Structures are given as structure tokens and as C-alpha cells.
Amino acid sequence: MQSKRGRLDRYLCTHLQTHRKAVRELMLLGNVSVDGLIVKDMDMQVDEFSHIQLGDQILQANTPVYWMLHKPIGVVSATKDAQHKTVIDLLDCEARYELHIAGRLDLNSSGLLLLTNDSRWSNALMSPTHKVDKVYRVTLANPLTEEYIAVFAAGMYFGFEDITTQPAKLVILANNVAEVTLSEGKYHQIKRMFGRFRNPVVGLHRLSIGDIVLDNTLAPSESRALTASEVACIR
Ligand code: URA
């Protein structure tokens, strides 16, 4: 999702359907304010959360919204789908149709899903340079061995994308249950990594993303707004 940052004069031209000269005049007359302050600088940068007014008329007043959902199995991580219920349909949030997903889960995966209308926040969360850890509990069809730990830590070559996965941490919790920590999110990454061992994933549940942990009071399909400190741990 692209960040919606841009020049104020461009925003006003588009929004008021007028040309730069008219916008310049409005600004020089002191008619335009951003976040409560009169602005005369044509080059000023604004984003989707800048409060923009023309005189008393509010042109833009969006507030950033951040939610966590306990995604159940069988619900698609998309904003629209012709066949399945989507995660957006489950959200208990008025602004839900304006939100996008920060890090999808497969149809048959469950656990922590984050949604927001703040593209800068979700980009920081998902950007490969930030290397935010995602922790999954994985249930396998067959028993695990110590060999998995070294192979996950070394990284795995995926010929289709011509990439080697970042070192991943695997902890064996039980005969056929592991906790896996990834710092990236390639397509079906966990299923494909266990696929190398011909060991099908039968359960995949995301426990955390960075310092944001799935709230254990949320039953599957329940959601809540993130707290200010949860939002602040991704910047
Ligand atoms: N890896 C997968 O294979 N599926 C998910 O949903 C998440 C990570």
C-alpha cells in the first residue's frame, strides 16, 4: 500500500478541481489551514491524516485507525471476495471498509492479523529493511527432527523467486509442533519450507508480529483497537 503523502497545493487542485494559480491565491489570502495553522507555503507536504480546511469548510479530517483481529480458519485475508467471508466483514470497527491488511494469512491459517488505514505504519511493519519478527505455531502431519532447526536457520533457496530465505528460528515444542519465527513474509513461506521435508502443515497460527501479541482474550473472529503503546512499537 502506497503512502499518500504529497504536496498541499496538488491536494487542493485535485480536491477543489481548480488550477494552481487559484489555489495560490486562496493560500496567500490565509484561507487554507492544516492542523489548525494557516499555511501559505505551496510546497508544504500533507498526508491522509492532515486536517485540511478551507475557511470553515473541512476538506479532510481522517484519523488513523489500527486494529487486531483473531483471524479464524476459513475467512479470507482480503477486503473483497466473491466466494468467502473476508476479515473486513468480521471487524467490529465503523471505519472497516477504509482499512487494509498489514500481512496476510492464508485461508486455512489463523491468529493475529493487523489492519489499518495508515499506509506508512503498515509499510514500516512489512518492509524487508525493518525485519519485524512474526511468530507462528505450526502443527505438522509428521514428527519433527533436530535437522529442521539447522535448515531453517541456514535459509532455504526458492528457485521460483530466485531468493534465499532469511535465517528463521525453529523451536520444537512437541513431536509434531514447532514455533517458527520469520523476519519476512514470502508467499506461503512456512508451508513451502516444511514442504522441503515433505511434511505437510496441518495447522498454522500467528502468535505475534514484532512486539504486538495476539490478545488471548479475543476468541476467533473477535477484534479490538490496538492500544497506543502497541501502535508505537512499529515506527
Ligand atoms: N506462511 C504460510 O505458509 N502461510 C501463512 O498464512 C503465513 C505464513
Side-chain angles (χ1 to χ4, degrees):
M1 173 80 34
Q2 276 226 311
S3 172
K4 291 169 193 136
R5 200 166 170 77
R7 284 170 58 125
L8 174 62
D9 62 344
R10 212 165 279 158
Y11 171 89
L12 291 169
C13 286
T14 312
H15 199 88
L16 301 173
Q17 301 221 313
T18 187
H19 44 82
R20 274 189 89 214
K21 192 161 171 266
V23 163
R24 189 186 172 82
E25 273 165 25
L26 286 170
M27 291 181 75
L28 290 177
L29 285 169
N31 284 337
V32 176
S33 66
V34 175
D35 297 334
L37 297 174
I38 291 183
V39 177
K40 296 190 178 177
D41 172 11
M42 300 276 285
D43 297 337
M44 184 180 183
Q45 295 282 313
V46 288
D47 63 28
E48 66 262 53
F49 303 117
S50 306
H51 183 104
I52 305 174
Q53 267 189 240
L54 178 64
D56 291 339
Q57 188 192 351
I58 297 169
L59 302 181
Q60 177 178 278
N62 302 326
T63 24
V65 175
Y66 309 89
W67 276 67
M68 74 160 68
L69 168 73
H70 184 164
K71 179 196 173 297
I73 290 166
V75 173
V76 72
S77 287
T79 45
K80 279 188 204 128
D81 190 90
Q83 276 190 316
H84 297 96
K85 201 178 228 192
T86 74
V87 291
I88 296 288
D89 297 326
L90 296 178
L91 283 188
D92 188 15
C93 159
E94 245 180 67
R96 62 184 180 276
Y97 296 109
E98 279 133 52
L99 306 190
H100 59 269
I101 300 160
R104 290 165 198 279
L105 283 170
D106 295 339
L107 183 68
N108 51 3
S109 300
S110 59
L112 177 63
L113 197 76
L114 298 176
L115 300 105
T116 182
N117 57 355
D118 182 348
S119 37
R120 266 201 288 169
W121 189 83
S122 57
N123 286 343
L125 193 76
M126 291 299 123
S127 132
T129 49
H130 283 74
K131 290 197 175 24
V132 176
D133 282 345
K134 291 120 199 138
V135 182
Y136 300 86
R137 193 180 56 237
V138 191
T139 308
L140 287 314
N142 304 312
L144 292 149
T145 63
E146 293 289 318
E147 191 201 344
Y148 286 62
I149 299 171
V151 174
F152 272 63
M156 225 175 244
Y157 178 70
F158 287 156
F160 185 66
E161 298 102 323
D162 190 24
I163 49 129
T164 300
T165 58
Q166 293 291 317
K169 187 172 161 208
L170 184 145
V171 178
I172 299 176
L173 300 178
N175 197 27
N176 64 335
V177 183
E179 187 177 278
V180 175
T181 305
L182 299 182
S183 63
E184 57 190 344
K186 305 291 177 212
Y187 179 69
H188 292 327
Q189 184 166 345
I190 291 190
K191 288 176 186 152
R192 290 162 76 197
M193 290 180 87
F194 284 102
R196 283 289 162 86
F197 294 90
R198 303 200 185 287
N199 196 351
V201 170
V202 294
L204 181 51
H205 183 78
R206 186 155 60 200
L207 300 161
S208 62
I209 300 177
D211 291 333
I212 306 175
V213 178
L214 178 63
D215 185 331
N216 62 15
T217 66
L218 293 178
S221 302
E222 287 183 348
S223 58
R224 69 154 169 85
L226 294 190
T227 63
S229 60
E230 285 169 334
V231 174
C233 60
I234 312 287
R235 276 292 162 219

